Amino acid sequence: DQQVKQNSPSLSVQEGRISILNCDYTNSMFDYFLWYKKYPAEGPTFLISISSIKDKNEDGRFTVFLNKSAKHLSLHIVPSQPGDSAVYFCAASAQGRDDKIIFGKGTRLHILP
Amino acid sequence: ETGVTQSPTHLIKTRGQQVTLRCSSQSGHNTVSWYQQALGQGPQFIFQYYREEENGRGNFPPRFSGLQFPNYSSELNVNALELDDSALYLCASSSARAGTGELFFGEGSRLTVL
């Protein structure tokens, strides 16, 4: 029973263009969402998060959008750079109810020169 | 500031054996979470320790157990190893109960069970 779903295993984007990574969730108790980035042979690193009281959060080239009615969030990277090539994990948690963060399977992003 | 460190980085065990993985949390963090990442999957929550007590557990059998020490470092123990236990085991620390907080991950311990 996957509560956090990333349906695209991989995505290729031209350098300089926008990368859009998508994530869907099924648990309506989730109220905090995070994106992590992982390079090979390294642990995941936190990228950006959003609370369910917001619909957008921006940090430099990274913006996360949340559509609660659709239980969908997306990460936009613009402009995409070669160093953005990595695996991106969408994650979610239910504040105050559970201390576990649930991760999706990840999307491998390739930035093409 | 010292980050999260895990040991060993790689190890090979045979079915039925026991393994202990170790994690030193980031300076100032009192919460440690353990995750299992199988090939092609996202990290799956095993359990979390806060102030030396287990504070939440995922869908893992009792043969997965852990400890947290007064200095907030932690161990993950797995008994009666099975082939499906082969995975990358990630430790993450945080400064509060991790329900909404940012987790700081180590590089992981890759376990192969033959």
Side-chain angles (χ1 to χ4, degrees):
Chain A
D1 175 28
Q2 256 199 296
Q3 298 184 64
V4 177
K5 300 177 185 179
Q6 294 178 259
N7 292 320
S8 298
S10 67
L11 175 69
S12 294
V13 174
Q14 207 76 35
E15 182 180 352
R17 300 288 185 103
I18 184 171
S19 295
I20 300 176
L21 294 93
N22 294 303
C23 177
D24 297 296
Y25 61 96
T26 58
N27 189 340
S28 57
M29 303 294 274
F30 288 148
D31 55 10
Y32 198 76
F33 304 90
L34 311 95
W35 284 92
Y36 282 80
K37 175 179 178 179
K38 186 180 186 301
Y39 293 119
E42 295 183 11
T45 55
F46 171 77
L47 194 56
I48 192 169
S49 62
I50 187 167
S51 164
S52 60
I53 62 173
K54 295 185 175 181
D55 54 18
K56 176 183 175 181
N57 189 26
E58 194 171 350
D59 183 2
R61 296 186 299 114
F62 303 91
T63 303
V64 56
F65 296 91
L66 175 62
N67 182 335
K68 281 182 293 183
S69 60
K71 293 193 176 70
H72 177 84
L73 62 154
S74 60
L75 173 68
H76 292 211
I77 306 172
V78 56
S80 300
Q81 298 176 355
D84 296 330
S85 294
V87 177
Y88 289 79
F89 292 103
C90 174
S93 70
Q95 181 180 3
R97 300 178 185 89
D98 207 345
D99 289 303
K100 58 186 179 185
I101 294 180
I102 307 298
F103 285 80
K105 289 187 176 183
T107 296
R108 184 176 297 278
L109 177 64
H110 300 270
I111 304 302
L112 306 170
Chain B
E1 183 178 81
T2 307
V4 177
T5 58
Q6 292 186 242
S7 63
T9 55
H10 295 81
L11 70 167
I12 299 172
K13 292 284 188 178
T14 56
R15 199 168 43 180
Q17 284 189 311
Q18 178 266 343
V19 69
T20 297
L21 307 178
R22 294 178 176 85
C23 172
S24 293
S25 60
Q26 182 160 312
S27 174
H29 287 180
N30 57 11
T31 302
V32 173
S33 303
W34 285 92
Y35 285 80
Q36 181 197 65
Q37 186 180 8
L39 201 60
Q41 303 294 315
Q44 283 206 307
F45 178 77
I46 303 175
F47 44 55
Q48 181 188 82
Y49 278 83
Y50 172 69
R51 292 187 175 179
E52 303 177 56
E53 298 283 333
E54 187 177 292
N55 183 50
R57 188 177 182 95
N59 294 327
F60 281 81
R63 59 190 185 83
F64 285 77
S65 63
L67 284 172
Q68 187 180 32
F69 300 100
N71 65 355
Y72 304 128
S73 65
S74 178
E75 284 183 358
L76 164 65
N77 298 289
V78 187
N79 293 322
L81 283 167
E82 300 177 0
L83 298 179
D84 285 349
D85 296 332
S86 295
L88 180 68
Y89 289 85
L90 293 162
C91 169
S93 73
S94 54
S95 60
R97 295 178 68 179
T100 58
E102 172 186 340
L103 300 177
F104 292 80
F105 283 89
E107 293 184 357
S109 294
R110 184 163 297 281
L111 171 65
T112 301
V113 182
L114 303 176

